[in-house]
Amino acid sequence: MNKPQKPTARKVTSIETEYVRSMQKKENWKQAQKKRLRNRLIVFAVLMCIVFGSLFNMYFGQKKLLAAKEQEKTEAIATLKDLKTEQEQLNKQLAKLDDEEYIAKLARKEYFLSESNEIIFSIPDKKKSSEKETRKE
């Protein structure tokens, strides 16, 4: 019985002509161009990743620095407010020091000075005596 024969794979040899060689050169050149393009694109992609990475790093560093400066500014504003309040109190006290009656009252209170024919009695403050008792304990 006749069995159908399987086609055998035959090697085909290329014809060595000028046309075939030029076509082979063209194909090789195209392959080399594709490889160079791929390499350029890879290098470009790596450079872009480095650039964007450094930009993001710089951005987050600046953001962190800005937050620290904002915190410092808030603290400085609070300090300024306290100092302005203190300055107002000192200005009021300075204005009082121009008043002779206030100076006389202050001298009588702090230094136990008296006017003529005046007797000063010193009564201990409750706050001061309680502080002394707590210190002794």
Side-chain angles (χ1 to χ4, degrees):
M1 304 231 169
N2 277 347
K3 286 187 178 179
Q5 291 182 349
K6 288 185 180 177
T8 58
R10 290 189 254 166
K11 264 190 166 179
V12 178
T13 58
S14 61
I15 302 173
E16 292 294 321
T17 63
E18 190 64 35
Y19 175 75
V20 172
R21 280 190 292 252
S22 70
M23 290 305 282
Q24 190 69 30
K25 268 186 175 179
K26 227 181 219 185
E27 189 63 33
N28 289 341
W29 186 77
K30 282 183 181 180
Q31 291 297 327
Q33 282 294 95
K34 284 183 182 180
K35 192 174 182 180
R36 280 188 229 125
L37 178 64
R38 190 186 77 222
N39 289 343
R40 279 190 221 129
L41 288 175
I42 289 172
V43 168
F44 181 73
V46 168
L47 286 175
M48 292 308 293
C49 287
I50 291 171
V51 167
F52 281 123
S54 64
L55 286 176
F56 280 124
N57 187 27
M58 225 186 308
Y59 170 74
F60 287 117
Q62 292 292 327
K63 191 174 181 180
K64 192 176 186 181
L65 182 65
L66 182 64
K69 292 291 184 182
E70 287 290 332
Q71 178 68 26
E72 190 178 312
K73 179 183 172 186
T74 305
E75 291 171 1
I77 288 173
T79 305
L80 179 65
K81 187 177 179 181
D82 292 342
L83 290 175
K84 281 187 178 183
T85 305
E86 185 180 343
Q87 183 183 12
E88 287 176 12
Q89 290 174 351
L90 291 174
N91 284 336
K92 286 179 184 177
Q93 188 176 6
L94 186 62
K96 286 181 182 178
L97 289 175
D98 288 337
D99 186 17
E100 289 183 19
E101 289 179 27
Y102 177 75
I103 293 173
K105 182 180 173 185
L106 188 65
R108 273 188 241 117
K109 181 179 177 183
E110 293 292 322
Y111 302 109
F112 302 110
L113 297 176
S114 65
E115 292 180 4
S116 60
N117 298 329
E118 185 179 48
I119 300 173
I120 298 176
F121 295 99
S122 176
I123 301 172
D125 291 337
K126 289 181 182 179
K127 291 180 184 177
K128 289 182 182 178
S129 63
S130 65
E131 286 177 8
K132 288 179 184 177
E133 289 175 10
T134 56
R135 288 183 193 165
K136 288 179 184 178
E137 293 175 358

